[in-house]
Amino acid sequence: MCDHTARIWWEAIVSIDRLLAPYNYQLPETQIARYPLEKRHSSRLLCLLPEQVDSHVERLSDHLNEGDLLVFNNTQVMSARCQMRRQTGGKVELLMCELLDEKNVKLLAKPSRKLREGEILETQITSGLQVQLMRLLGEGLWIARCFPSAQAVMDGVGEIPIPPYFQRDATHEDRERYQTIYAKAQGAVAAPTAGLHFSETLFERLEQKGIGRAFLTLHVGIGTFRNLRESDIEAGKLHSERYILDPINAEKIRQVQNTGGRIIAVGTTSTRCLESIALKHGEIRQDSGSTRLFIRDSFSFQVIDGLLTNFHLPMSSLLMLVCAFGGHQAVMSAYRHAVSSGYRFYSYGDAMLLTTR
């Protein structure tokens, strides 16, 4: 690397670090929740209302008002991690990222460097299942064709793609627990984790208090697995994720807005979908498409009055979103309190509830 190139590279690293440093915090590894609790609604709940209150998810209805509306993301996590082999015998791990149609997908291949366009990969166990690499998009991402279908490959050898910080292989339990109980629309490579806390028991308690439910779909994409990049920050945009809000649920949201109730987004994915639609149309309405919305700093929220979310990785776009909604100082102070109080972090961890009114 020449001196000029090295200087540019170093300046880029420093620039990113300077921006992300305010979103850093120290977390003992023992507080990373690598397994779910026995009951979904048993997690702790740290509330910023805006006063800080330690509570539990099973008492969520105590912190909400009659007439509030919870908006959930009903995407379903695919069994997207597939172990394959080359005809030379080398092993390749595939992550099915996006279903384009019955046979064609976007996928990440690892390792990808020696793979060639047109190459056919086979499963190591089940015969008759193949994936042909059609076109390299870059950075290990491919367009590929599956035989007899993408679903058949995932059904045959696919595993739930649990996060790498679990530091373990996926288990049979993860097939159920790394999935919300209302998951319906297949297409995600990671769970909308705030929704993992909800059980039928919790839904009954919320319904008894007159707290409503609405659903949208945003398929969590591969961007959830990678760190923020300088190009993301410069462009002010994130990875693209597909969403759908149907007319029935759009009308539910509008009715609550018109009657003065609060819209509580369950998760950062629901937030991105709702705020993307409002930016696009000036209001909530039926819509579908893709969003690259990067919510940070002084973003002006048009839809949500509250956010239920898990504790996120340091220096991540998700933590930046939470800080944009709840205020940087208040949120980072709450994170320090959560660490010192032994809260469990990340996908199988505890939750936060933030409201603005």
Side-chain angles (χ1 to χ4, degrees), residues 5-24:
T5 303
R7 180 174 58 80
I8 293 175
W9 172 81
W10 176 250
E11 287 176 352
I13 295 297
V14 170
S15 174
I16 294 173
D17 286 348
R18 188 181 299 118
L19 176 65
L20 298 182
Y23 302 93
N24 196 13

Side-chain angles (χ1 to χ4, degrees), residues 115-182:
L115 299 176
R116 298 290 180 264
E117 292 183 353
E119 184 170 351
I120 294 177
L121 307 176
E122 298 178 335
T123 61
Q124 300 179 48
I125 302 172
T126 307
S127 62
L129 302 178
Q130 295 180 328
V131 175
Q132 185 174 20
L133 302 173
M134 306 303 294
R135 180 160 56 93
L136 177 62
L137 301 177
E139 299 182 322
L141 188 64
W142 293 79
I143 298 292
R145 184 171 297 150
C146 303
F147 301 96
S149 67
Q151 191 62 56
V153 173
M154 289 191 290
D155 288 344
V157 296
E159 295 180 350
I160 292 290
I162 58 174
Y165 51 73
F166 283 0
Q167 296 183 350
R168 62 176 177 83
D169 294 331
T171 67
H172 181 74
E173 182 184 31
D174 292 312
R175 285 188 173 271
E176 176 191 358
R177 295 302 302 274
Y178 195 65
Q179 200 84 264
T180 63
I181 66 170
Y182 48 82

Side-chain angles (χ1 to χ4, degrees), residues 115-301:
L115 299 176
R116 298 290 180 264
E117 292 183 353
E119 184 170 351
I120 294 177
L121 307 176
E122 298 178 335
T123 61
Q124 300 179 48
I125 302 172
T126 307
S127 62
L129 302 178
Q130 295 180 328
V131 175
Q132 185 174 20
L133 302 173
M134 306 303 294
R135 180 160 56 93
L136 177 62
L137 301 177
E139 299 182 322
L141 188 64
W142 293 79
I143 298 292
R145 184 171 297 150
C146 303
F147 301 96
S149 67
Q151 191 62 56
V153 173
M154 289 191 290
D155 288 344
V157 296
E159 295 180 350
I160 292 290
I162 58 174
Y165 51 73
F166 283 0
Q167 296 183 350
R168 62 176 177 83
D169 294 331
T171 67
H172 181 74
E173 182 184 31
D174 292 312
R175 285 188 173 271
E176 176 191 358
R177 295 302 302 274
Y178 195 65
Q179 200 84 264
T180 63
I181 66 170
Y182 48 82
K184 181 179 180 181
Q186 182 174 240
V189 298
T193 55
L196 299 180
H197 299 285
F198 287 82
S199 63
E200 292 297 345
T201 299
L202 183 55
F203 275 144
E204 290 173 6
R205 292 175 183 172
L206 293 165
E207 187 173 350
Q208 288 170 2
K209 190 170 179 178
I211 297 163
R213 283 178 259 171
F215 295 90
L216 53 78
T217 303
L218 184 139
H219 293 310
V220 187
I222 59 173
T224 192
F225 292 106
R226 67 175 177 87
N227 297 328
L228 280 171
R229 303 180 181 184
E230 185 181 17
S231 58
D232 300 325
I233 296 168
E234 289 179 347
K237 296 179 180 179
L238 296 178
H239 52 280
S240 177
E241 294 177 321
R242 296 175 295 128
Y243 68 83
I244 301 172
L245 177 63
D246 66 34
I248 294 175
N249 285 285
E251 180 59 26
K252 282 185 181 180
I253 296 169
R254 285 197 300 270
Q255 286 180 357
V256 171
Q257 290 178 315
N258 292 337
T259 57
R262 298 185 300 179
I263 305 301
I264 312 295
V266 179
T268 57
T269 58
S270 295
T271 301
R272 286 186 76 210
C273 181
L274 293 171
E275 297 296 336
S276 294
I277 292 172
L279 279 174
K280 182 178 177 181
H281 298 290
E283 62 179 0
I284 287 296
R285 63 169 69 170
Q286 172 190 3
D287 194 30
S288 63
S290 297
T291 179
R292 296 188 63 196
L293 180 62
F294 188 176
I295 296 177
R296 57 176 176 145
D297 302 326
S298 57
F299 180 84
S300 179
F301 290 86

